[in-house]
């Protein structure tokens, strides 16, 4: 039975510090802090009867004027960020989409986005691949769209099909996508496609 076309697609977006909106908020807070520091310096200097100029120079001209250069550049970064955020809003934030599942298939985001139609998908799985040295080996989660049946899977998991880091797992102050959400999303659009968690897969 074909999926209900009225159902909204399942979309996982980037939510950590890497998003333009988050960086825009961060820059806005920095600009606000700069203004607050300047106002406080003026008020304190006035209250103590000291030179306002001396206080401001102490704050902004230390370390060869680096704080002043940073403060002057921040509003421009804020303006650029605001323009970028506005364009992203108009473009439906496509750059922030990590994973999308709908009636067409599976869309993998990232630097090389790719859409795999349901006719090609033999399964979707979560695996963990090793990285680091043999002495300090760690495991990273990945989402893999299988293009081969289980009995025909190549030895290396990197040849199983297109893969991406598990959505949300590498974000700073982000949240990794729950495995059950993936299972539910695939069942909604392609109930015949198996979703599995294969754990650690050494290549």
């Amino acid at each position: 039975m074909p999926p209900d076309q009225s159902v909204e697609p399942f979309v996982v977006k980037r939510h950590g510090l890497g998003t333009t909106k988050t960086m825009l908020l961060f820059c806005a807070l920095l600009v606000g802090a700069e203004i607050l520091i300047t106002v406080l310096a003026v008020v304190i200097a006035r209250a103590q009867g000291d030179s306002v100029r001396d206080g401001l120079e102490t704050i902004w001209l230390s370390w060869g004027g680096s704080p002043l250069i940073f403060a002057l550049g921040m509003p421009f970064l804020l303006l650029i960020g605001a323009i970028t955020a506005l364009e992203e809003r108009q473009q439906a934030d496509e750059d922030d989409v990590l994973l999308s599942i709908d009636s067409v298939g599976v869309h993998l985001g990232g630097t090389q986005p790719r859409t795999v139609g349901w006719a090609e998908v033999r399964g979707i799985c979560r695996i963990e691949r090793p990285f680091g040295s043999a002495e300090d080996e760690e495991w990273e989660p990945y989402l893999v769209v299988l293009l081969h049946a289980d009995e025909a899977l190549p030895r290396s998991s990197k040849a199983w099909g297109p893969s991406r880091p598990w959505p949300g797992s590498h974000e700073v102050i982000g949240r990794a996508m729950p495995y059950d959400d993936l299972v539910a999303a695939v069942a909604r659009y392609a109930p015949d496609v198996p979703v599995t968690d294969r754990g650690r897969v050494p290549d």
Side-chain angles (χ1 to χ4, degrees), residues 87-149:
E87 289 182 355
E88 281 189 353
R89 206 172 186 182
Q90 296 171 346
Q91 296 172 2
D93 297 330
E94 291 181 0
D95 291 343
D96 284 337
V97 174
L98 301 174
L99 171 69
S100 178
I101 297 175
D102 55 24
S103 59
V104 174
V106 181
H107 173 76
L108 301 173
T111 55
Q112 295 180 330
R114 178 174 176 180
T115 299
V116 185
W118 289 120
E120 300 178 70
V121 178
R122 297 294 175 265
I124 298 176
C125 68
R126 179 189 185 278
I127 65 171
E128 293 183 23
R129 289 177 178 149
F131 78 99
S133 62
E135 300 175 354
D136 190 24
E137 188 175 67
E138 296 185 32
W139 297 81
E140 285 188 339
Y142 283 81
L143 183 147
V144 183
V145 179
L146 301 175
L147 301 182
H148 309 274

Side-chain angles (χ1 to χ4, degrees), residues 122-128 146 148-151 153 160 179 194-202:
R122 297 294 175 265
I124 298 176
C125 68
R126 179 189 185 278
I127 65 171
E128 293 183 23
L146 301 175
H148 309 274
D150 276 3
E151 60 272 12
L153 284 177
W160 290 0
Y179 173 75
V195 181
T196 56
D197 186 346
R198 306 194 179 207
R200 294 182 173 181
V201 179

